[in-house]
Amino acid sequence: MPCLFCRFPLTGHVPKRKVKPELFISIDCLEITEPAQPDRFAGSKERHMAMAYFVGEFFFNTRFGMYSVLVTDVFSSPRVTQSFAFEKTRPDGEPKVIRVRRVFPKGIYLGFAKKCVAKYSLFPHQGVPIRDKKPPALGTVPTLYWGSQTTSPPIGLFMKREDCEECFRHFSENRTASGNAYDSRWLVPTIEVLKAIGADHPLVTVALQNRCALPRPVRDCLTTPHS
């Protein structure tokens, strides 16, 4: 007896449908390719900018802390992290070195000046850096647009973390040791880092003029050609 809802009998026998042989394709004939990755730098000019400027990590320290700077590319703000600091809460009054992880929260650009290092912006609520424009140095921007955290004068800049830790250990073990801004004892690695950054980096600026300019020995090494 046939089913009321279909034209096939209740025996369960369903006729097979004929399929043309040309519809079967061997998997060996298929060419499997990975999807194309989007180009991070769409234009050739942007790609040239990404290759022409410094990208990487360097370190600097002050008398009160050690910091690392990570520049991932020339289109996003550098990441500044404090690694070590001095805690002034010991009963004997002597500071103790503690490990911290404080990230500079605000600012698009990173500026090195004579008396401090800070992140800053060019206008309120700036979210991304301005393309094809060299930012002004830190000393020429109103402090209203500076980030909420600044450092004391840096003593030295280093490409290697080990060298920076050794410099920081020198002051942590002897707190009475004198240390000037951009100290001459670490002038060679400081010049190496500043020359790698360059005077026209789109995100990291170095003050070479006005009252915020770096000390003369550092400034002369950066402005003198073939030095």
Side-chain angles (χ1 to χ4, degrees):
M1 177 180 178
C3 179
L4 297 178
F5 302 99
C6 63
R7 60 186 180 86
F8 303 112
L10 293 178
T11 57
H13 175 73
V14 179
K16 296 183 179 180
R17 181 179 297 179
K18 294 183 179 180
V19 182
K20 296 182 179 181
E22 57 267 17
L23 294 180
F24 291 95
I25 303 176
S26 176
I27 194 172
D28 298 334
C29 301
L30 297 178
E31 183 179 357
I32 303 176
T33 58
E34 296 182 357
Q37 298 294 332
D39 194 352
R40 190 173 186 180
F41 310 114
S44 58
K45 187 175 182 180
E46 293 183 351
R47 188 179 293 105
H48 174 72
M49 288 179 59
M51 298 175 60
Y53 296 106
F54 171 82
V55 174
E57 187 177 20
F58 64 93
F59 308 87
F60 71 93
N61 56 18
T62 67
R63 288 183 59 87
F64 304 101
M66 173 178 165
Y67 304 82
S68 63
V69 180
L70 178 61
V71 183
T72 55
D73 53 58
V74 297
F75 305 116
S76 57
S77 178
R79 181 182 177 89
V80 184
T81 307
Q82 184 178 5
S83 304
F84 294 95
F86 287 107
E87 186 182 35
K88 300 181 180 180
T89 58
R90 292 179 57 176
D92 55 1
E94 291 293 330
K96 180 180 66 174
V97 178
I98 59 174
R99 183 182 293 272
V100 297
R101 185 174 178 81
R102 299 171 184 164
V103 180
F104 282 31
K106 296 181 180 180
I108 299 298
Y109 308 99
L110 177 65
F112 285 86
K114 181 179 181 179
K115 296 296 184 180
C116 68
V117 178
K119 294 188 70 174
Y120 63 99
S121 304
L122 301 183
F123 51 85
H125 309 294
Q126 182 180 0
V128 294
I130 300 177
R131 303 282 182 92
D132 303 331
K133 181 180 180 181
K134 176 186 174 183
L138 179 65
T140 60
V141 177
T143 56
L144 177 65
Y145 303 147
W146 289 21
S148 58
Q149 185 173 357
T150 60
T151 72
S152 56
I155 296 176
L157 285 77
F158 306 89
M159 282 293 188
K160 297 181 180 180
R161 185 182 184 91
E162 295 79 10
D163 298 339
C164 190
E165 290 179 349
E166 182 179 355
C167 177
F168 183 75
R169 193 179 303 112
H170 172 77
F171 293 96
S172 63
E173 295 175 354
N174 184 13
R175 293 300 297 161
T176 60
S178 60
N180 301 321
Y182 304 93
D183 200 293
S184 58
R185 288 171 289 182
W186 295 279
L187 185 61
V188 174
T190 299
I191 294 298
E192 179 186 0
V193 174
L194 294 178
K195 281 190 173 183
I197 296 172
D200 57 348
H201 198 279
L203 293 174
V204 184
T205 63
V206 180
L208 299 177
Q209 297 178 354
N210 302 330
R211 57 186 178 87
C212 294
L214 272 60
R216 182 174 294 275
V218 182
R219 194 167 65 245
D220 292 344
C221 293
L222 292 176
T223 55
T224 304
H226 307 293
S227 59

